[in-house]
Amino acid sequence: MRVQVAIIGAGPSGLLLGQLLHRAGIDAIILERKSGEYVLGRIRAGVLEQGAVDLLDEAGVGKRLHAEGLVHGGIELCFDGERHRIDMAGLTGGKHVTVYGQTEVTRDLMDARAAAGATTVYEAEDVSIHGFDTDSPVVRYRKDGVTHEIACDFIAGCDGFHGVCRESLPANAVKHYERVYPFGWLGILADVPPVSHELIYVNHPRGFALCSMRSRTRSRYYVQVPLDEKIEEWPDERFWDELKRRVDTQAASTIVTGPSIEKSIAPLRSYVAEPMRFGRLLLAGDAAHIVPPTGAKGLNLAASDVRYLSRALIDHYRSGSMKEVDAYSGKCLRRVWKAVRFSWWMTSMLHRFPDTGEFGQKIQETELAYLVGSKAASTSLAENYVGLPFED
Ligand code: RFL
Ligand code: PHB
């Protein structure tokens, strides 16, 4: 079999790239290790920058997002027991974010791909990539006991942090930058109305908390927990009690509790692999970088990589030039590092670190007080949160 682009991974990066290429008449196959239901069952990000919304529109999958997504023009920061609103729209000339779950984005992209009749091979085993340092790369995989081989022009590594693509690079071809944080987020999803119509990020001596949502009837809440925490030790009751201890008294008295429909612990990490391109292998999304979720940037960075990658490949097939493919890694990484910095900064300001003590807590509260009291500082947060501009 031969295709123009072989995409590894059917998460948001791979599916969105597949859709944009399909609309440009470029032939691509997607190989995914897991089943479609498994991919849809992963509860992850919830906040889309305008740039990500625009790209989903461009891919022709924006209809349900516009009908059901919640448009937010601000967030609240809670510290020292009080909430302060950051007027993101007011500070950025009217920009906002849209709350719409990654699960829904994935579902919309899967439906569009099925409607287009494009091929996704789910439960593709032992995917391996070869010859990406030549002009004729090859991808192999196994399905139902049969080995298949695909010849292609390019391989798009959209296979997430634990994927095979980055791992296949020669060790001396890639530099890794990493910071692992000494805590994780325990998150629950529950069919209860959100406590506030905007997100609340909480700094508290007991640890960070976040009140988020998926819709007007479905809430997503998180609390910071130590890395070795066991999910079995967190029955719903304990989660709700801990959340109420961290938010302000007004929120604590109005939070509606209910049975969780999902509960998981996610570790926090900052990671970047440089460069994001090696010959005819191009990495996108979590395959190339990870940010802690505090800045709500993971899914948005995946979309911005795909924006640059789809444009580079479309330009190549129209003009025959490799100029945009050559520029891909540099363009992505300049934007990636800004989001890595922002996510690290939000994480540092809002979480309890085991070794910084009461001094660290005072510094954080002072930084937050400065932030909410200074238009310059609030604007810096707001322009990063709604999403920094693209290069083209
Ligand atoms: P994904 O979503 O991980 O998709 C990669 C896909 O590749 C498949 N795969 C393979 N397929 C074939 N062969 C192989 N060898 C393969 N190895 C892997 C995987 O099964 C998967 O389907 O990466 P993508 O598309 O780049 O999308 C990125 C986003 O998913 C990610 O940035 C965000 O979800 C990050 N993230 C969060 N971001 C936020 O903005 N807010 C959040 O609250 C938030 N929560 C999270 C998260 C990421 C998590 N991870 C990665 C563990 C919570 C978690 C638990
Ligand atoms: C979420 O709703 O899952 C969410 C929202 C904002 C974040 C992280 C996660 O910063």
Side-chain angles (χ1 to χ4, degrees):
M1 181 183 186
R2 194 186 154 77
V3 294
Q4 291 173 302
V5 182
I7 301 173
I8 317 300
S13 305
L15 288 168
L16 182 53
L17 179 64
Q19 199 57 20
L20 291 164
L21 295 182
H22 174 76
R23 286 171 82 91
I26 297 169
D27 172 32
I29 190 169
I30 305 185
L31 304 178
E32 165 61 49
R33 178 161 61 183
K34 303 283 187 185
S35 69
E37 301 82 77
Y38 182 94
V39 172
L40 279 176
R42 293 190 292 225
I43 307 296
R44 292 185 176 175
V47 176
L48 298 177
E49 295 172 358
Q50 190 57 44
V53 172
D54 292 344
L55 199 65
L56 290 162
D57 277 335
E58 202 179 305
V61 295
K63 194 161 172 238
R64 200 161 65 93
L65 153 66
H66 288 290
E68 297 176 19
L70 305 172
V71 173
H72 284 195
I75 57 169
E76 294 195 282
L77 296 175
C78 178
F79 58 96
D80 223 358
E82 285 195 33
R83 270 194 260 167
H84 307 262
R85 183 167 189 269
I86 303 286
D87 176 11
M88 293 184 311
L91 292 162
T92 59
K95 296 199 176 129
H96 49 253
V97 294
T98 303
V99 173
Y100 189 67
Q102 180 166 329
T103 312
E104 307 311 319
V105 171
T106 307
R107 193 190 307 278
D108 294 343
L109 285 164
M110 277 175 155
D111 290 351
R113 190 161 178 83
T119 312
T120 310
V121 180
Y122 284 98
E123 296 172 312
E125 294 167 59
D126 297 335
V127 172
S128 61
I129 60 172
H130 311 271
F132 44 84
D133 53 345
T134 71
D135 285 346
S136 42
V138 168
V139 178
R140 289 199 195 100
Y141 68 98
R142 219 158 30 83
K143 172 84 182 170
D144 302 327
V146 181
T147 301
H148 301 261
E149 188 168 292
I150 303 169
C152 56
D153 301 331
F154 295 97
I155 300 170
C158 300
D159 50 348
F161 185 64
H162 300 287
V164 68
C165 290
R166 194 185 65 249
E167 286 288 299
S168 304
L169 288 170
N172 62 359
V174 49
K175 184 158 170 54
H176 310 267
Y177 299 85
E178 184 168 45
R179 169 148 201 191
V180 177
Y181 300 88
F183 41 73
W185 281 17
L186 168 62
I188 71 164
L189 193 65
D191 276 329
V192 292
V195 64
S196 167
H197 64 282
E198 291 181 337
L199 270 61
I200 311 175
Y201 288 83
V202 186
N203 173 297
H204 188 275
R206 294 182 66 84
F208 170 78
L210 171 60
C211 306
S212 182
M213 66 196 73
R214 288 293 175 272
S215 70
R216 289 194 181 83
T217 55
R218 181 169 285 188
S219 300
R220 179 78 168 152
Y221 292 107
Y222 298 93
V223 294
Q224 173 187 350
V225 292
L227 263 185
D228 53 6
E229 207 71 5
K230 302 265 176 301
I231 197 94
E232 306 78 62
E233 285 160 20
W234 284 88
D236 292 355
E237 217 42 18
R238 180 175 175 206
F239 181 92
W240 293 118
D241 285 348
E242 187 59 39
L243 180 67
K244 286 181 185 175
R245 291 177 79 159
R246 297 187 189 187
V247 297
D248 59 284
T249 48
Q250 198 255 329
S253 63
T254 50
I255 283 179
V256 181
T257 64
S260 63
I261 49 177
E262 197 266 355
K263 194 189 288 165
S264 53
I265 296 180
L268 267 66
R269 179 195 305 268
S270 301
Y271 170 83
V272 183
E274 288 195 7
M276 287 172 58
R277 173 208 171 195
F278 185 83
R280 287 182 171 251
L281 169 64
L282 300 120
L283 302 176
D286 279 16
H289 41 71
I290 294 284
V291 286
T294 329
K297 290 286 168 246
L299 177 57
N300 291 301
L301 275 186
S304 87
D305 291 353
V306 167
R307 183 178 192 275
Y308 289 134
L309 182 51
S310 59
R311 278 159 174 62
L313 292 173
I314 291 167
D315 180 76
H316 169 78
Y317 283 110
R318 288 201 180 134
S319 70
S321 156
M322 287 291 272
K323 188 167 150 268
E324 290 300 315
V325 173
D326 290 342
Y328 171 70
S329 177
K331 271 190 191 174
C332 283
L333 285 168
R334 284 189 284 279
R335 197 166 189 280
V336 163
W337 272 109
K338 287 178 186 159
V340 168
R341 184 212 64 86
F342 176 67
S343 304
W344 160 82
W345 173 72
M346 286 282 280
T347 303
S348 307
M349 178 174 66
L350 290 167
H351 291 74
R352 187 91 176 137
F353 284 74
D355 52 358
T356 50
E358 289 175 357
F359 177 81
Q361 180 71 25
K362 275 286 180 196
I363 291 290
Q364 286 181 336
E365 285 171 9
T366 306
E367 174 148 30
L368 284 157
Y370 166 64
L371 184 60
V372 301
S374 155
K375 190 172 177 196
S378 304
T379 305
S380 168
L381 187 158
E383 71 178 5
N384 278 279
Y385 196 91
V386 299
L388 293 172
F390 298 102
E391 280 186 33
D392 53 14

